[in-house]
Amino acid sequence: MSLPKTIALIAHDEKKDEMADFARRNEAALRQSRIFATGTTGGRVLEACPDLDVTRLKSGPLGGDQQIGALIATGEVDMLIFFVDPLTAMPHDVDVKALMRLAIVYDIPMALNLATAERLVAAN
């Protein structure tokens, strides 16, 4: 089975290296999908895997989380991989919660950590 057509990637600052490593390890599988990513996360993923089809949106705190939420609400995202840093306070925490709520409402598979992301990618 192949990965969904469109995947959204987001990583909090302390998780961006982990996201880049995840993308590098799973590049062959991710190449099957179109990827939307928040600004800095998308840049880091493209540095690690320049051949991936990544559309960079705004940085999370500047509206990127909300842009991905809108893509989920309009049916344009099939999977969300969001590496959350639970140990750092986020000034835009309400946006993060709204994004997670939309993924739940629209029944989008969502990974919030590396272990779940690896399983979602492996299952497809």
Side-chain angles (χ1 to χ4, degrees), residues 9-70:
L9 300 179
I10 307 171
H12 284 150
D13 289 345
E14 297 300 318
K15 298 291 185 171
K16 291 191 191 310
D17 288 340
E18 189 173 25
M19 180 63 80
D21 290 341
F22 166 79
R24 194 176 299 109
R25 282 192 313 278
N26 293 284
E27 183 174 5
L30 293 173
R31 203 175 288 131
Q32 301 171 32
S33 300
R34 179 166 186 211
I35 297 169
F36 286 102
T38 50
T40 310
T41 299
R44 295 291 301 278
V45 168
L46 280 171
E47 285 173 12
C49 307
D51 294 331
L52 290 180
D53 179 12
V54 178
T55 299
R56 290 175 65 191
L57 304 172
K58 293 185 180 293
S59 171
L62 298 178
D65 296 337
Q66 292 178 341
Q67 286 180 296
I68 289 178

Side-chain angles (χ1 to χ4, degrees), residues 46-121:
L46 280 171
E47 285 173 12
C49 307
D51 294 331
L52 290 180
D53 179 12
V54 178
T55 299
R56 290 175 65 191
L57 304 172
K58 293 185 180 293
S59 171
L62 298 178
D65 296 337
Q66 292 178 341
Q67 286 180 296
I68 289 178
L71 291 168
I72 289 171
T74 57
E76 297 174 66
V77 169
D78 304 304
M79 179 187 290
L80 172 62
I81 298 176
F82 188 169
F83 288 174
V84 176
D85 176 10
L87 302 177
T88 303
M90 300 293 151
H92 64 293
D93 193 52
V94 293
D95 298 333
V96 172
K97 288 179 182 172
L99 175 61
M100 289 183 203
R101 185 177 64 248
L102 283 169
I104 294 165
V105 166
Y106 287 94
D107 203 23
I108 301 297
M110 175 173 52
L112 300 178
N113 61 33
L114 178 61
T116 308
E118 294 283 1
R119 283 172 177 75
L120 278 179
V121 170

